[in-house]
Amino acid sequence: MFRHKTCRNIKKRLQTMHDNNNIKFMQFALEEAQKAYRIGEVPVGAVIAKNDQVIAAAYNLREQSNDPTAHAEILALRQAAQKLGGWRLSGAKLYVSIEPCPMCAGAMVLARISALIYGADDPKWGAAGSIFNIVQNNKLNHRIEVISGVLAGSSRKLIKNFFAEKRG
């Protein structure tokens, strides 16, 4: 019984550490989203971590760069690949404030991201389970672990406030 209880306690501590890291890195992603908000971009921020270290951080820049692909996730993937010297990002985790769109989800699969952790669901464009599930599609040669809802309230509030200001 002692051994079983000890294993359960260790598992619980590891899960708590995992949750704490997810919150920490999601807070970084939300800081990136705030940068986008301040310059009038849709407030989405992304951070890529590997071995518990941030290797890339970005926010949406579509309007600023006149580039339809300048989503936070794509920009972060490019940074991470440059930093690591290769396009395969195995072992890396991507944290993003809102569920990725199909383009970003596809890029994550192609980059071999190990895990996707996101805040709020995207009922209009979500490609990690809301509308499509590109990141876990069995027909593709790579699937990504998904954890959703991390600091979802903060992510939703940021997006909601942004569009309320734009429309109001």
Side-chain angles (χ1 to χ4, degrees):
M1 176 150 172
F2 175 77
R3 184 177 158 137
H4 177 68
K5 187 176 180 180
T6 301
C7 289
R8 202 170 44 218
N9 287 340
I10 290 170
K11 186 176 181 182
K12 189 173 184 176
R13 277 185 291 201
L14 288 173
Q15 183 61 43
T16 300
M17 284 176 21
H18 182 68
D19 292 345
N20 288 342
N21 275 343
N22 288 343
I23 290 168
K24 175 179 80 173
F25 290 123
M26 185 59 71
Q27 286 171 333
F28 292 153
L30 284 167
E31 289 171 14
E32 292 296 310
Q34 286 285 352
K35 293 175 186 176
Y37 189 99
R38 287 193 291 272
I39 62 170
E41 293 278 354
V42 175
V44 178
V47 169
I48 298 178
K50 187 169 182 174
N51 301 322
D52 293 327
Q53 298 292 316
V54 173
I55 60 170
Y59 52 90
N60 274 2
L61 285 172
R62 289 190 327 166
E63 301 299 328
Q64 299 287 314
S65 63
N66 293 315
D67 179 356
T69 68
H71 289 202
E73 302 95 321
I74 298 295
L75 298 174
L77 288 168
R78 289 175 183 160
Q79 280 181 29
Q82 286 291 311
K83 182 163 187 164
L84 297 178
W87 61 268
R88 285 182 188 85
L89 302 179
S90 302
K93 297 177 180 181
L94 193 146
Y95 296 82
V96 62
S97 53
I98 193 164
E99 182 180 4
C101 73
M103 173 184 69
C104 294
M108 286 178 220
V109 171
L110 292 171
R112 310 299 195 268
I113 289 289
S114 295
L116 163 65
I117 299 90
Y118 71 87
D121 291 337
D122 186 346
K124 293 184 180 180
W125 287 97
S130 289
I131 297 179
F132 310 103
N133 196 350
I134 292 170
V135 298
Q136 294 180 325
N137 188 316
N138 289 330
K139 293 181 180 179
L140 299 176
N141 67 341
H142 179 73
R143 279 161 293 293
I144 299 170
E145 174 191 358
V146 176
I147 299 171
S148 62
V150 178
L151 300 179
S154 298
S155 298
R156 251 189 314 276
K157 183 178 178 183
L158 191 58
I159 291 282
K160 188 176 179 177
N161 290 347
F162 175 81
F163 284 110
E165 286 179 18
K166 287 288 183 194
R167 293 182 184 123

